[in-house]
């Protein structure tokens, strides 16, 4: 079970409702994307399914048969549907799940369906769900996890009890980053998450990209030309990540500029490199210039051994944009 950071109040309330058998059968968890609503839904589901009778502990006992099946993703009485995205659940998927939900629980306890990104559900899908929400079987629970309740028909909203989840605080995000084993918690990374937008998994992927960019910039500073060439090839080819990677590159270079501002040689290098990184974003994203070439030039300008070339009048050097667009 993933550790959940934050949302203490909502989790306590849900836990008590489950323990006292007062939990409504249709729930909406709403709040920004990526703050852990689905984790809370799973925590609640595991508690509801746990074999411990009476006051089952928050998130379940973790050791009974039910909890173990839940952890391995093989519990027969929990159903997850993911809406939205290209692989999003179809109306047929909804019907299949509702049919399963209408059967008696296999394990003799409760049945739970978690609908993720439920605000992406189609009108037909919503109407299909509506019937089950109106006439729920005993001991069945529907948890609709979403960010934008206004996209759901009011007929559904009125059938569900809503729980609101707040954006995470900067401290909570730091805690999550620490838990996920990401080294050197970067202020920039925390800002990137902004208490909301990035899901934690994408935060993890971003942190790997972040590390990669920082390593390459460090190698570039030391004049590692093979590393520069390799990175330019790889980054230039990974088109879907280009925008993000170039933003990391710019931020990394800016951080280096700030960190070395008492060293005029370094300032000269990073100053030019930063201008190039800004140009690189414009050239590749707006003007569709070959990204490999642009990244190569930008990384080459991070090379410390070239510092003396630009030390005196770094501003007089043409920008990357001027060089590439004018064919110089
Ligand atoms: Zn248990």
């Amino acid at each position: 079970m993933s550790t959940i950071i934050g949302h203490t109040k909502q989790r306590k309330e849900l836990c008590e409702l489950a323990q006292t058998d007062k939990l409504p059968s249709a729930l909406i968890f709403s709040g920004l994307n990526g703050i852990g609503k689905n984790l809370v839904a799973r925590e609640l589901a595991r508690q509801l399914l746990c074999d411990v009778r009476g006051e089952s502990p928050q998130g379940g006992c973790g050791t009974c048969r039910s909890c173990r099946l839940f952890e391995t993703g093989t519990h027969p009485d929990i159903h997850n549907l993911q809406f939205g995205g290209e692989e999003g659940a179809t109306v047929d998927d909804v019907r299949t799940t509702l049919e399963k939900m209408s059967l008696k629980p296999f394990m003799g306890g409760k049945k739970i369906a978690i609908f993720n990104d439920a605000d992406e559900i189609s009108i037909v899908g919503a109407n299909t769900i509506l019937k089950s929400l109106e006439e729920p079987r005993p001991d069945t629970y529907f948890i609709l996890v979403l960010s934008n309740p206004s996209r759901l028909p009011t007929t559904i909203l009125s059938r569900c009890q809503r729980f609101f989840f707040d954006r995470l605080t900067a401290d909570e995000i730091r805690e999550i980053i620490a838990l996920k084993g990401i080294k050197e918690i970067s202020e920039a990374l925390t800002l990137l998450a902004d208490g909301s937008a990035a899901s934690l998994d994408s935060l993890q992927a971003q942190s790997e990209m972040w590390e990669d960019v920082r390593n390459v910039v460090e190698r570039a500073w030391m004049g590692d030309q093979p590393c520069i060439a390799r990175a330019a090839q790889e980054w230039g080819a990974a088109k879907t990540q280009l925008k993000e990677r170039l933003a990391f590159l710019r931020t990394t270079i800016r951080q280096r500029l700030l960190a070395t501002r008492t060293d005029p040689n370094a300032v000269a290098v990073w100053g030019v490199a930063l201008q190039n990184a800004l140009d690189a974003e414009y050239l590749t994203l707006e003007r569709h210039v070959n990204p490999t070439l642009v990244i190569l030039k930008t990384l080459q300008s991070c090379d410390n051994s070239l510092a003396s070339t630009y030390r005196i009048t770094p501003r007089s050097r043409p920008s990357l944009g001027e060089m590439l667009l004018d064919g110089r």
Side-chain angles (χ1 to χ4, degrees), residues 64-101:
C64 71
R65 178 151 181 261
S66 192
C67 284
R68 279 185 280 121
L69 286 174
F70 190 99
E71 265 326 87
T72 55
T74 50
H75 198 296
D77 293 321
I78 170 102
H79 302 285
N80 290 285
L81 275 189
Q82 174 68 45
F83 295 90
E86 284 175 18
E87 307 274 294
T90 63
V91 175
D92 280 343
D93 295 330
V94 173
R95 290 204 180 98
T96 309
T97 299
L98 294 178
E99 271 166 34
K100 289 179 188 162
M101 286 294 284

Side-chain angles (χ1 to χ4, degrees), residues 46-47 49-52 56-57 59-68:
R46 195 166 86 153
Q47 178 184 354
L49 294 171
C50 178
D51 291 339
V52 173
S56 55
C61 71
T63 52
C64 71
R65 178 151 181 261
S66 192
C67 284
R68 279 185 280 121

Side-chain angles (χ1 to χ4, degrees), residues 235-294:
W235 298 358
K239 296 275 193 304
T240 55
Q241 299 168 339
L242 189 62
K243 190 174 172 201
E244 206 169 14
R245 199 169 254 130
L246 287 173
F248 283 175
L249 182 60
R250 168 182 23 95
T251 308
T252 302
I253 292 173
R254 178 176 283 137
Q255 284 174 341
R256 293 302 305 261
L257 178 62
L258 292 173
T260 55
R261 59 178 174 266
T262 53
D263 174 353
N265 285 336
V267 167
V269 175
W270 296 122
V272 170
L274 180 57
Q275 184 59 54
N276 285 343
L278 287 163
D279 284 353
E281 288 180 279
Y282 168 74
L283 289 168
T284 56
L285 303 174
E286 306 285 329
R287 301 293 296 268
H288 308 293
V289 176
N290 178 348
T292 298
L293 182 62
V294 173

Side-chain angles (χ1 to χ4, degrees), residues 268-269 271-277 279-280 283 297-298 301 309-310 313-328:
V269 175
V272 170
L274 180 57
Q275 184 59 54
N276 285 343
D279 284 353
L283 289 168
K297 295 281 174 200
T298 305
S301 69
T309 320
Y310 309 125
T313 50
R315 289 278 166 215
S316 69
R317 187 167 161 270
S319 73
L320 181 63
E322 286 162 342
M323 285 193 290
L324 288 169
L325 288 179
D326 299 349
R328 272 186 252 188

Side-chain angles (χ1 to χ4, degrees), residues 33-45:
N33 281 331
I35 56 174
K37 300 184 299 293
N38 177 259
L39 292 179
V40 177
R42 286 176 55 77
E43 178 184 60
L44 177 65

